[in-house]
Amino acid sequence: MEPQTQSNKPNLVLILDYGSQYTHLITRRIRSLSIFSLCINGTSSLNSITEHNPRVIILSGGPHCVHADGAPCFPSGFIEYVEKEKIVVLGICYGLQLLVQKLGGVVNIGEKHEYGRMDIEVKKNEGLFGNKEIGDKQVVWMSHGDEAVKLPEGFEVVARSSQGAVAAIENRERRFYGLQYHPEVTHSIEGMDTLRHFLFDICGVTAGWNMEYVLEEEIKVIKAMVGPEDHVICALSGGVDSTVAATVVHKAIGDRLHCVFVDNGLLRYKEQERVMATFESDLHLPVTCIDATEEFLSKLKGVTEPEMKRKIIGKEFINIFDIFAHDLEKKVGKKPTYLVQGTLYPDVIESCPPPGSGRTHSHTIKSHHNVGGLPKDMKLKLIEPLKLLFKDEVRALGKIMNIPVAFLKRHPFPGPGLAVRIPGDVTAGNSLDILRQVDEIFIQSIKDAGIYDEIWQAFAVFLPVKTVGVQGDQRTHSHAVALRAVTSQDGMTADWYYFDFKFLDNVSRKICNSVRGVNRVLLDITSKPPSTIEWE
């Protein structure tokens, strides 16, 4: 699905990303106001910007200095475009400095750098602070070393920091606004109030973007895209994303959707039985289950390099889909035309290069996540109904389609399955069986403790090391396993979950007493970044 499906609506807020760690938080904050927002690279072409037909454009923060060579910038003709189309522009941090410099002002290295919490004072109760009083103070989150020392003609300072630095500027006549701080982070106590006032009162944007609207629009798009005799295939992983995507498509075209669930031998404890029961009894989706355990594990034998494991798994999935598609062609008398994928917005974001990196493509982050490199003779077109949604939005979409809440709350499970939770050879010894047992004990204990919904993702990891222990009055030389649980909104960043020590003690005892071959349990307390959520 092309982005313009929803993004060309008149109330779109388009964010130009200049590399701030908070950029995608801006997107989420705006969506929480029932306003649709999208984020694209800040150095995108002018055509890429204009085709979205935005009502408002926000220039994000970033780690660069606007006066440095090669600093990322909006394209030539941008200023003329936004003024001609009467588009309101808000620069945040680096975005403010970019506006100042490109409109004729001066940005220099600040005499005093401002990082962290800082008081600012309202100097004019117009525009950005039209709902405040002169002299009002608020705590905001600063993160800048440069500062605007001379404003472009027609601009005025409407707020300053406690150190006297420019905190907010505006030129209401030309519709340019700037905040030197980050209103999108929770540390800026009144930040959401400022964004709300800016979008509704200054820009005149109206709320109305919600999951009911998304569902209605997606069904229209799919019906228009898929011909009346076209058939569509979908790879179901058993996770929330692919299931919600399939359900949307099923609502649009009915049983011309053909789903396949592949057991690759890398699934969790009783995963096949559990998810197939949900597909058949609760969702009534047309699903074919293929047990390909032998095919996958035979090709993974002896492979230890993480990216190689991912590629082998991806290639084998493709082979199976190819066979499934050809069998389907014989059955219905026509080649399938489309493939459904549960791609989410964070997947799209993580596949884009950082602004100012000089690269035209990103590092390999999720080579396994969706089906890539399809055989040329399949020539399948993609349907990605969730491509513009975050994880919590996908769950909200699933809820209005009556997908069981318990299923929607399932923790994410990676495409390569347990292969990314067993560093090294996944076929060595009985590592898969041990990991399934440990993971089942861990997850069930979390559910029994009533904390499953507090955790974004939890799982066990099989470590390819043995340690000395004492079990049954005898020395043992058995495996160590690790437990990982994180809190997050969408997986872009994550922090480890703070378990009660008594809970951890009980889980450790259960695992060591119940799972043969384990004598040590570790807890992963690393955030993302610097680590990823999964292990490899």
Side-chain angles (χ1 to χ4, degrees), residues 3 155 175 279 338 406:
F155 279 77
R175 300 180 180 83
F279 292 151
Y338 293 91

Side-chain angles (χ1 to χ4, degrees), residues 336-376:
T337 313
Y338 293 91
L339 172 71
V340 180
Q341 288 192 164
T343 311
L344 300 191
Y345 200 39
D347 302 327
V348 177
I349 291 169
E350 289 196 351
S351 297
C352 296
S357 66
R359 297 201 312 272
T360 55
H361 61 280
S362 69
H363 291 297
T364 300
I365 295 177
K366 292 189 175 181
S367 57
H368 71 279
H369 189 84
N370 291 306
V371 180
L374 292 168
K376 292 182 180 179

Side-chain angles (χ1 to χ4, degrees), residues 412-423:
F413 189 62
L418 300 182
V420 295
R421 297 176 181 175
I422 301 178

